[in-house]
Amino acid sequence: MHTFEEWKKKLIIVRGGGDIATGTIYKLHQSRFPVLVLEIANPSCIRRTISFCEAVFDKEVEVEGVIAKRADSLREAFAIYEQGQIPVMIDENGSTIETLHPPVVVDAILAKKNIGTKIIDAPAVIGVGPGFCAGKDVDAVIETQRGHNLGRVIYEGEAAPNTGIPGRIAGYAKERVIHAPAAGNLHILKQIGEIVQAGDTIADIEGTPVKTVIGGVLRGMIREGYPVKKGLKIADVDPRVKEQENCYHISDKARCVAGGVLEAILHLSK
């Protein structure tokens, strides 16, 4: 693919660049599909070390040897693609979709609801997780709930509803996830990858300490200075102390979901 016009005709647009979306973006890129990522201006990403959305802030981010860069125009996005990298653009409403008319759109925002994706956005439209109905607002839905159906492609109907309970790891579920005890700007005291103990203070929100419930590896933490709202998910602890390397690798769940997206794209291709 050598021209801007050829790139546009084969482009896959992925809305969202968080950790689950990054699994899909990575797999599509490694499978030689041209990908453009659309993100919001201030994503509240927890697993920052393995999320392409961090390019919004840092201009360039690397995940498992693949580089993503922020692009401020479509021409710049194409230039990044030509370098063998992944372009990330800030586009909160997905207006770039109407401009480009891509063959495939993947909504991997994981908002637990559809916030604007339509089945007419592209010849193949795929929704990741709950909030989409295959055959109504998307062509296919990818199951994201852990268990037997994780990664399954649904061509009629919806994914399992969000339970609000994180997946169980080493006997812990909701205890793994830490929510903001107050509103304000976050100050980080512990970094992703550090070993923490139950009751440790890992961050501070304008004088209010943020403490762990269990010990383990700090797998995720929202960005320094992020203006959090009370109750927002801001950190994640993996109780498996020996799994520190997982902080820097795409998760099994993200890879499984990515496989479902790739299957759906190939199945829906005309």
Side-chain angles (χ1 to χ4, degrees):
M1 197 180 310
H2 300 292
T3 71
F4 180 64
E5 293 302 319
E6 289 173 327
W7 174 71
K8 290 196 298 182
K9 289 179 181 178
K10 297 184 178 181
L11 188 63
I12 296 176
I13 288 183
V14 178
R15 298 190 70 188
D19 64 304
I20 300 299
T22 292
T24 289
I25 297 160
Y26 178 91
K27 184 173 286 290
L28 294 176
H29 175 80
Q30 294 294 77
S31 300
R32 304 301 182 186
F33 287 97
V35 182
L36 172 63
V37 181
L38 303 183
E39 253 298 353
I40 62 174
N42 197 24
S44 58
C45 181
I46 304 299
R47 299 205 63 199
R48 294 180 287 110
T49 50
I50 45 110
S51 295
F52 286 132
C53 68
E54 287 298 286
V56 168
F57 302 107
D58 299 333
K59 295 188 178 180
E60 179 178 319
V61 64
E62 182 175 337
V63 176
E64 295 197 11
V66 173
I67 294 174
K69 289 182 179 177
R70 193 181 75 198
D72 296 321
S73 69
L74 287 174
R75 287 288 178 180
E76 188 177 349
F78 176 61
I80 290 169
Y81 162 75
E82 285 199 306
Q83 295 169 9
Q85 299 165 345
I86 298 169
V88 179
M89 291 185 68
I90 297 173
D91 182 358
E92 306 211 7
N93 299 316
S95 58
T96 304
I97 295 169
E98 292 185 17
T99 301
L100 293 180
H101 304 291
V104 180
V105 169
V106 179
D107 187 326
I109 298 171
L110 270 76
K112 310 298 190 297
K113 61 182 180 180
N114 187 343
I115 56 177
T117 294
K118 303 178 292 296
I119 198 168
I120 59 172
D121 283 343
V125 180
I126 300 162
V128 178
F132 303 98
C133 183
K136 183 180 178 183
D137 51 1
V138 295
D139 295 295
V141 175
I142 311 301
E143 181 60 70
T144 56
Q145 188 176 97
R146 286 189 182 274
H148 184 76
N149 290 322
L150 178 61
R152 175 172 286 183
V153 184
I154 301 164
Y155 294 105
E156 185 175 343
E158 304 178 14
N162 178 39
T163 64
I165 301 173
R168 188 170 294 276
I169 296 178
Y172 296 101
K174 63 180 181 180
E175 302 92 344
R176 297 191 299 104
V177 177
I178 299 167
H179 297 85
N185 294 327
L186 184 86
H187 173 53
I188 294 174
L189 299 174
K190 298 282 187 180
Q191 301 297 326
I192 293 174
E194 285 193 52
I195 304 298
V196 296
Q197 305 299 324
D200 279 358
T201 299
I202 59 172
D204 177 273
I205 303 173
E206 298 185 15
T208 300
V210 178
K211 296 181 178 292
T212 57
V213 176
I214 63 172
V217 180
L218 189 59
R219 189 173 68 163
M221 170 71 79
I222 209 163
R223 287 185 70 86
E224 169 68 27
Y226 196 92
V228 304
K229 295 181 180 180
K230 185 176 181 179
L232 179 70
K233 178 182 174 182
I234 58 174
D236 178 13
V237 176
D238 188 331
R240 301 167 297 180
V241 175
K242 294 182 179 180
E243 302 290 336
Q244 278 179 293
E245 281 300 310
N246 287 354
C247 297
Y248 311 102
H249 295 288
I250 295 167
S251 71
D252 55 345
K253 179 177 179 177
R255 293 185 198 279
C256 195
V257 169
V261 173
L262 179 58
E263 175 189 330
I265 289 171
L266 296 175
H267 179 82
L268 294 168
S269 296
K270 298 293 191 292

